[in-house]
Amino acid sequence: MPASATLSVSGICMAHDTSRSAHRDIPAAQSARNLAANVFHVLERAFDRVFGVAQNPLRQLGALGFYLFWIVSVSGIYVYALFDTSIDGAFRSIETLMIEQPFAGGLMRSLHRYASDAFALVIALHLVRELSYGRFSGFRWFSWVSGVPLIWLGLAAGIGGYWLVWDTLAQVVAIAMSEWLGWLPGFGDVIVRNFLVQATLTDRLFSLLVFLHIGIPLLLLLGMWVHIQRISDPMTLPRRNLGANLLGVLLVLCIGVPALSQAPADLARVPAELPLDWFYLFALPLLYRTSPGELWLLLALATMTLVLLPWMSGGRRPAPAQVDLANCNGCSRCVADCPYGAVVMQPRSDGRNHPREAVVVTDLCASCGICAGACPSSTPFRSASAFVTGIDMPQWNVSMLRDRLDQALTGLQGLSGSVVFACECGADASVLAQPGVAVLRLPCIGMLPPSFVEYALRSGADTVLVGACAEGDCEFKSGEELMRARLKGEREPHLRANVSRERLRIVSSVDPRELERALGELRSVSNGFESAHSSIRSRRGRVPGRSNA
Amino acid sequence: MPDVLRSDVLRYLGQAALYAVFALLIGYFSNSPRYRHLAPDEALLRLSFSHPGKVMAACRERGAAELEKMPANMRQSQDCPRERSPVRVSVELDGAPLYDETFAPAGLQHDGAAAGYRRLPIPAGEHRLRVKFNDDARIAGFNYEHSQTVHPVAGDVVLIDFAADRGGILIQ
Ligand code: HEM
Ligand code: SF4
Ligand code: SF4
C-alpha cells in the first residue's frame, strides 16, 4: 500500500481543466476553448496577485455588469432631466448641458458614455469566460440561453443612445440602422426616409426614440433579472473596494477626456470620417463592407449558435442528487445550502414521523454534492456496513468518500501524515501527494461533511488541509464559503468545537503553490506536538469514533 | 524595506497600472480608430422614394345579375381591382447607366406604395444626372424624366426623390 494516494472522486469540474470536461466538442472548438481557458487562468492568477482574490474583477464580471448598469442608469436619468426631446432641441440641450454645467452635467454625460462602454467590455469578457470554462451546458443552459438576448438588448440600448445626440454621428448611425432594418420584409425601404431630409424629421419620431432609449434598458434590466433566477444567491454587486475604485477610474477618465458631440446633424452632407464607439458601433463598418442582408445573416447565425450551444456540445450530464428517505429527517439543511435552489421541502410521503422531506428538482441540479456535505446523516462515524446518507450523489457518494479516506489513512500508517481534501475545480492538489500526504479530491469542497475532518484527525491523520476554489469564485457558487463557515462552526453542519483547529487549515486558491505552502506550514507546526497518532489503529472494523451500530 | 511593505507597494502599483490600462482601453475605443465612411473626394448619391404606382386595371361596372348573386352587404356597383403598378427607375450619371430597377408595390395584394432605396458613393464635382420613372406598367418606357447638373463637393449628399405632387422627380 503506498503511503500516499491521490484519489479523484469524479471528473465533473469543467472550469479548470477543459480537457477533462464532459463536453464532446468539435476538436477545433475544443482547442480554442482550452486556449481561452488557459489565457483566463493565467490572467486570473496574475490579477489575484495584484488585486487579491476577493477583489479580482475577472472573478466578478457579471456583478460588475450589474454595477455598471446602475451607474449608466443614474447618469442617464440626470442627463435626461436636462434633455430636450425635440429635433432642434436635442443637440442644443446637450451642448447647453456641457456649457452651463461643465462639471456636473459634463461629468454625468461622460460617465453615461464611458460606463456604457465599460458595461459592454465587461459583458463581453463575462461571455468569453463562461464560454471558455465550458459553463454553458447541462444545468447551466438557462443562465447561458437567457444571457443571449441581453447582448441584443445591450447593443440596442447603446446604439439608440447615439441617435439622441443628433450630431453627425447620430445621423450616420440612424441612417445605417434604418437601411439595415429596411431589409426586413414588412419594414421596407421607407424607414430610412425619416432621416433623409430635415423636413421629414418630426419631434414625434424623436419622442419615440427617447421612449425606446428608456424602454430598452428597462427590458434589459428585466432580462438581467431573469438571467440570474437559477442561482440562489447571485452576486449582483462587486466587492466594495473594487466598485469604488472602478467608479473613481471612470470619473478620472470623464474629467481627462470628456465625451463630446460631433457637429450638429446636417442631412445634406455625410461626414467622410467618424469617431466610432467600437463597443457599440462595430457593426457599422461591417454593414458597409457587406450588405444589410449579409449582416442579418451573420447576426442570426451567431445568435443561433449561441442559443444552441448548450445542446450542440452533447455533453452527458452527471446524475442529479438523490434523496434517501430512510436517512432524511427533514431538517432542510440541504435546501439552505444548495446553490441552485434544486432541493425543496415537501410533506412527508413515507409516513415517518417528520413533517417534511427533501425532494430534488432534477432539472436544476448541478451535481455538485454540496447537499451531501450539508446533510446531518453524512457523518462517517456510523455503522461500517451500510453508510447511506439523506441526500447524495449516485456516482460519488459519501460512502465512497469514506472508503477512500479509510484507504488513504491506512496508507499513512507509521508516518506523521496529512490528509488533503481538495476541490477538483480549485488548485490541482494532486501535486501534493507524497509519502505521508494523502490527497482526496471532491467535485466541490462543499460536498465534504465537516465530520470527515474530525474523522480523519481521530483516525490517524496528524493534520488536515482543505483546499477550495478561489474566494467568491467557487465553481458551484458557494461551496467555498459554506465550507469555511462549517469549519468555523458558524453554519450547520459544523465542525465540533473540540477538534483542534491547529491541525487544520483551509486554503481558497487555484494556485497549487499556495496549497503547498500551507501544507508545509501545517506539517512543521504539527511536528511540534507529540503525535499520539503515529501509532496507527486499525481502521476498517474498529475505528475509535465509529459506533458499530 | 520590509518584504511585506514592498509587496504591498508592488500590489498597489500593479493595480494602478491595470486601472490605467482599463481607462485607456475604454477611452481609446470609445472614439478611435476613426472610421472612414467615404473617400476624401467622394460625395454620396442616394436614391430614395416611396410612391404608389398607378392602379393596374380600371374599375368595372357590375351588371344587375352579378350584383344579385352577391351578399347584400357587399353589393357595390363597381369592381375596382386594387393591384398597383410596380415602379421602374432608371438613373444615368454622366451618360452611363447606374441603376435600372423595378420596385414592387408593398402589401400582399400589391396595393401599397413601391419604395426603393439605394446609396452609392460618387466622385465629387460636376455631374449630369438623368433620372427616369415609370409608375404605370401598362405604358412602355417611362412617364417621368428629369435631368439636372449637380455640383456636389466631397461629403455632399445628392438625393433623388419622387413626389407626384411636386412635379415628380426631385434632385436635391
Ligand atoms: C447584461 C448582461 C449580463 C449581466 C449583467 C450578467 C450578469 C450575471 C450575473 C450577476 C451572474 C451570476 C454570477 C454569480 O453570482 O456568480 C451571471 C451568471 C452567468 N452568466 Fe451572465 N450576465 C450578462 C450576460 C451574459 C451573457 C451574454 C452570457 C452568455 C451568453 C452569460 C452567461 C452566464 C452564465 C452561463 C452564468 C452562470 C454561471 C454559473 O452558473 O456558474 N451572461 N451573469
Ligand atoms: S448536488 Fe448541488 S445542485 Fe444538486 S441538489 Fe445538491 S446542492 Fe443542489
Ligand atoms: S439535509 Fe439531509 S436530512 Fe436534512 S432535509 Fe436534506 S436530505 Fe433530509
Side-chain angles (χ1 to χ4, degrees):
Chain A
M1 190 71 190
S4 71
T6 297
L7 300 165
S8 180
V9 185
S10 74
I12 187 183
C13 180
M14 296 162 189
H16 297 268
D17 183 356
T18 38
S19 60
R20 236 190 321 148
S21 82
H23 298 292
R24 273 185 280 109
D25 277 357
I26 315 155
Q30 168 87 49
S31 55
R33 276 208 299 119
N34 277 342
L35 181 70
N38 288 336
V39 170
F40 261 106
H41 275 308
V42 171
L43 280 179
E44 274 167 18
R45 300 266 189 99
F47 275 52
D48 278 348
R49 244 168 278 143
V50 174
F51 288 91
V53 177
Q55 305 282 340
N56 186 341
L58 296 179
R59 297 191 186 282
Q60 39 197 313
L61 292 165
L64 285 172
F66 268 83
Y67 178 64
L68 287 163
F69 180 89
W70 295 123
I71 297 183
V72 174
S73 304
V74 170
S75 52
I77 290 169
Y78 189 95
V79 176
Y80 176 69
L82 302 163
F83 184 74
D84 181 343
T85 55
S86 68
I87 309 287
D88 299 328
F91 181 85
R92 206 171 352 98
S93 66
I94 293 184
E95 289 299 284
T96 314
L97 169 80
M98 302 288 282
I99 294 163
E100 287 182 356
Q101 301 189 6
F103 201 72
L107 208 61
M108 283 302 193
R109 189 248 177 125
S110 304
L111 190 59
H112 191 63
R113 151 89 76 101
Y114 291 135
S116 306
D117 290 341
F119 177 80
L121 178 65
V122 159
I123 295 311
L125 286 174
H126 173 60
L127 186 157
V128 177
R129 184 174 189 260
E130 302 299 319
L131 177 68
S132 54
Y133 285 173
R135 293 186 186 157
F136 48 78
S137 58
F139 76 99
R140 285 196 179 87
W141 76 268
F142 182 86
S143 299
W144 177 264
V145 172
S146 62
V148 178
L150 303 185
I151 308 174
W152 280 87
L153 288 169
L155 285 175
I159 295 172
Y162 276 99
W163 293 30
L164 297 186
V165 186
W166 207 234
D167 58 0
T168 51
L169 175 61
Q171 158 194 345
V172 170
V173 172
I175 290 177
M177 189 87 171
S178 318
E179 290 170 358
W180 178 66
L181 284 174
W183 180 86
L184 286 181
F187 280 80
D189 287 331
V190 277
I191 312 178
V192 70
R193 293 181 58 74
N194 287 312
F195 300 102
L196 293 185
V197 282
Q198 207 75 32
T200 55
L201 273 173
T202 62
D203 288 351
R204 271 207 12 235
L205 179 70
F206 231 70
S207 301
L208 174 69
L209 295 183
V210 174
F211 175 75
L212 286 176
H213 191 57
I214 297 171
I216 292 174
L218 282 176
L219 275 181
L220 174 61
L221 181 61
L222 180 70
M224 283 158 54
W225 176 79
V226 170
H227 180 56
I228 53 170
Q229 282 315 297
R230 284 261 177 118
I231 297 172
S232 40
D233 184 19
M235 181 176 183
T236 51
L237 277 182
R239 301 294 170 116
R240 193 174 305 160
N241 283 353
L242 178 67
N245 291 350
L246 183 67
L247 181 59
V249 169
L250 286 174
L251 287 173
V252 169
L253 181 63
C254 293
I255 294 169
V257 195
L260 299 174
S261 303
Q262 304 300 301
D266 172 3
L267 295 175
R269 295 190 45 84
V270 265
E273 232 192 26
L274 281 170
L276 278 199
D277 180 338
W278 291 86
F279 295 102
Y280 287 98
L281 303 177
F282 57 86
L284 186 80
L286 217 55
L287 175 68
Y288 290 123
R289 275 284 170 82
T290 58
S291 68
E294 283 165 331
L295 187 59
W296 272 111
L297 185 69
L298 188 74
L299 295 176
L301 281 179
T303 306
M304 283 233 309
T305 311
L306 285 179
V307 169
L308 295 179
L309 201 59
W311 296 277
M312 291 199 310
S313 50
R316 72 200 138 73
R317 250 178 103 165
Q322 274 175 11
V323 174
D324 182 63
L325 283 184
N327 287 284
C328 170
N329 64 17
C331 69
S332 82
R333 283 181 194 170
C334 51
V335 176
D337 281 8
C338 173
Y340 299 99
V343 201
V344 291
M345 298 308 294
Q346 285 184 2
R348 203 77 201 184
S349 64
D350 61 354
R352 282 182 65 203
N353 193 19
H354 300 291
R356 295 185 308 157
E357 67 186 35
V359 175
V360 176
V361 186
T362 50
D363 278 352
L364 301 183
C365 176
S367 311
C368 63
I370 288 179
C371 48
C375 184
S377 303
S378 297
T379 167
F381 299 101
R382 288 176 68 195
S383 141
S385 44
F387 176 24
V388 181
T389 183
I391 185 167
D392 211 344
M393 312 315 301
Q395 309 96 315
W396 52 85
N397 53 41
V398 288
S399 171
M400 282 161 63
L401 186 64
R402 190 179 69 179
D403 287 347
R404 293 185 181 193
L405 178 57
D406 281 344
Q407 232 175 54
L409 288 166
T410 315
L412 293 182
Q413 272 186 29
L415 299 156
S416 86
S418 302
V419 170
V420 180
F421 294 106
C423 167
E424 278 204 57
C425 309
D428 180 4
S430 59
V431 299
L432 302 180
Q434 51 173 294
V437 179
V439 178
L440 276 96
R441 303 185 75 189
L442 294 84
C444 174
I445 203 61
M447 187 187 175
L448 183 70
S451 47
F452 270 72
V453 172
E454 181 179 357
Y455 180 83
L457 288 173
R458 284 182 39 186
S459 318
D462 263 356
T463 52
V464 168
L465 177 68
V466 176
C469 285
E471 186 185 346
D473 195 27
C474 169
E475 175 78 5
F476 296 107
K477 300 282 314 147
S478 47
E480 184 263 347
E481 204 183 326
L482 292 171
M483 197 62 213
R484 274 189 183 273
R486 290 174 191 165
L487 293 183
K488 274 195 204 152
E490 292 166 352
R491 189 181 181 95
E492 296 301 339
H494 65 275
L495 180 64
R496 293 204 313 192
N498 60 0
V499 176
S500 159
R501 296 317 201 255
E502 279 178 318
R503 297 163 60 199
L504 167 68
R505 188 72 61 88
I506 176 165
V507 174
S508 307
S509 173
V510 287
D511 187 350
R513 282 168 304 179
E514 288 201 28
L515 286 185
E516 261 168 352
R517 197 174 320 128
L519 184 65
E521 283 170 20
L522 198 56
R523 284 168 71 77
S524 68
V525 171
S526 83
N527 285 341
F529 33 81
E530 179 44 40
S531 165
H533 315 278
S534 50
S535 62
I536 286 294
R537 292 145 281 223
S538 82
R539 236 141 262 99
R540 270 268 164 231
R542 256 181 31 85
V543 172
R546 218 192 264 180
S547 64
N548 280 334
Chain B
M1 212 178 345
D3 268 3
V4 178
L5 188 61
R6 199 175 51 214
S7 77
D8 270 358
V9 169
L10 280 179
R11 264 168 34 87
Y12 288 123
L13 284 178
Q15 286 192 19
L18 287 174
Y19 278 121
V21 169
F22 171 78
L24 283 177
L25 216 64
I26 298 284
Y28 181 76
F29 286 107
S30 188
N31 48 33
S32 318
R34 292 170 75 84
Y35 165 58
R36 184 155 267 299
H37 192 50
L38 280 183
D41 53 354
E42 275 180 341
L44 189 65
L45 179 67
R46 288 193 206 280
L47 160 71
S48 168
F49 70 91
S50 169
H51 169 64
K54 296 266 173 359
V55 174
M56 289 291 267
C59 293
R60 181 177 61 85
E61 290 294 331
R62 288 196 172 105
E66 188 183 357
L67 282 174
E68 196 59 34
K69 274 189 252 152
M70 296 174 71
N73 62 336
M74 293 184 60
R75 283 181 200 152
Q76 275 175 343
S77 61
Q78 284 198 323
D79 169 23
C80 294
R82 289 158 60 193
E83 184 180 348
R84 289 182 181 276
S85 166
V87 173
R88 177 172 167 211
V89 185
S90 146
V91 179
E92 281 170 28
L93 183 75
D94 301 324
L98 274 190
Y99 302 114
D100 189 339
E101 289 185 53
T102 304
F103 299 88
L108 285 179
Q109 321 217 350
H110 298 294
D111 56 351
Y117 174 77
R118 294 287 178 268
R119 75 190 285 283
L120 188 75
I122 54 172
E126 184 175 308
H127 296 287
R128 186 80 192 151
L129 268 176
R130 183 155 173 243
V131 182
K132 292 179 284 188
F133 263 68
N134 175 335
D135 66 356
D136 188 346
R138 291 167 299 187
I139 305 174
F142 295 90
N143 51 354
Y144 294 90
E145 176 165 347
H146 179 69
S147 290
Q148 190 172 321
T149 303
V150 291
H151 304 88
V153 298
D156 272 354
V157 176
V158 176
L159 178 66
I160 303 173
D161 199 348
F162 186 92
D165 55 349
R166 283 192 285 154
I169 299 165
L170 303 169
I171 297 178
Q172 41 186 302

